Amino acid sequence: MKKIVVLFSGEGRNLHNIIKKLHNKECKVVCAITNNPKAKGLINLPIKSEVLRHNDFNSRKEHDKALVKLIGRYKPDLTVLAGFMRILTPEFTKNIKAINLHPSLLPKHKGARAIQDSFDDKDTEAGVTVHWVEDELDGGEIIVQERFKKSNNETLESFTCKIKELEYKLLPQAIVKILYES
Ligand code: GAR
């Protein structure tokens, strides 16, 4: 069975969703790695996890170097960034085959405020993107993207729910597609 490593920084809802939908069915989630020892996603995690605190390193490059080494130990077919809120250096992007989940219709609304920014803009549609991780932040080649219509009485809460639901559907689909169709 193919192997994946998942990187996350906080709630880890997408991580838990990937485990629920794919682990030991479509692939093995061999490890979840976080930069944040307080990440909520670590709670009740049914697979192996590792914490690599970025504060323990002198530079982004040094942290990425250690991250690459750690991922390498698990020999994954693919690394999945699911809410991994770090700007990556070429140390990482040149050495790891990775995809990233982003809560907007890229190239619109790159960065950490994508949900709020998509909610605030004048567009009638919003959506979610899965893309290859490359040097530019949220800038790699798009693998899949799905959109929905904003409703007239949309609140930030209802909007966020739509984004999350779409993420829980799209990211597992993208992982399976990459692992078995490419
Ligand atoms: C998700 O909405 C993901 O799209 C976003 O962080 C959230 C993580 O939630 N990622 C980015 O904004 C990346 N630029 P989770 O930890 O509950 O899965």
Side-chain angles (χ1 to χ4, degrees):
M1 196 178 272
K2 301 247 181 168
K3 296 188 285 186
I4 65 169
V5 163
V6 180
L7 270 50
F8 71 107
S9 294
E11 300 281 333
R13 293 208 184 98
N14 281 284
L15 163 65
H16 283 260
N17 177 61
I18 290 166
I19 294 169
K20 191 171 129 206
K21 292 204 170 137
L22 303 183
H23 186 52
N24 286 339
K25 296 172 192 145
E26 307 282 353
C27 61
K28 259 195 187 315
V29 187
V30 283
C31 187
I33 303 175
T34 183
N35 59 310
N36 173 14
K38 294 192 177 141
K40 287 206 183 122
L42 287 168
I43 298 167
N44 292 329
L45 194 59
I47 59 154
K48 179 149 180 32
S49 62
E50 306 253 18
V51 178
L52 197 67
R53 284 163 49 100
H54 58 269
N55 289 339
D56 289 345
F57 295 84
N58 288 328
S59 67
R60 244 176 227 290
K61 191 176 168 186
E62 288 306 311
H63 180 251
D64 282 2
K65 212 171 178 173
L67 191 53
V68 169
K69 206 167 154 193
L70 183 58
I71 293 170
R73 276 200 226 136
Y74 290 91
K75 299 191 175 14
D77 295 285
L78 182 70
T79 296
V80 177
L81 276 57
F84 188 59
M85 306 308 265
R86 297 275 306 158
I87 293 170
L88 296 162
T89 67
E91 198 69 47
F92 182 97
T93 55
K94 299 278 181 270
N95 290 302
I96 299 291
K97 181 187 175 189
I99 61 172
N100 180 46
L101 170 69
H102 189 75
S104 77
L105 290 172
L106 288 173
K108 281 187 184 159
H109 309 311
K110 296 178 180 181
R113 281 177 36 95
I115 296 183
Q116 181 74 55
D117 291 346
S118 316
F119 177 72
D120 289 341
D121 75 16
K122 290 194 166 60
D123 295 354
T124 53
E125 291 183 323
V128 166
T129 305
V130 179
H131 64 92
W132 289 107
V133 173
E134 287 165 24
D135 281 353
E136 193 200 332
L137 177 72
D138 299 324
E141 189 192 332
I142 291 172
I143 300 161
V144 280
Q145 190 166 63
E146 215 172 294
R147 56 191 67 228
F148 62 87
K149 279 218 181 317
K150 290 180 185 168
S151 60
N152 290 336
N153 52 355
E154 201 79 85
T155 63
L156 180 59
E157 203 183 6
S158 67
F159 183 77
T160 303
C161 280
K162 285 183 188 170
I163 294 276
K164 299 284 172 188
E165 284 310 312
L166 201 48
E167 289 188 336
Y168 302 153
K169 187 186 110 190
L170 204 63
L171 184 56
Q173 279 178 359
I175 294 169
V176 172
K177 181 177 145 98
I178 291 159
L179 288 178
Y180 297 104
E181 289 174 22
S182 56

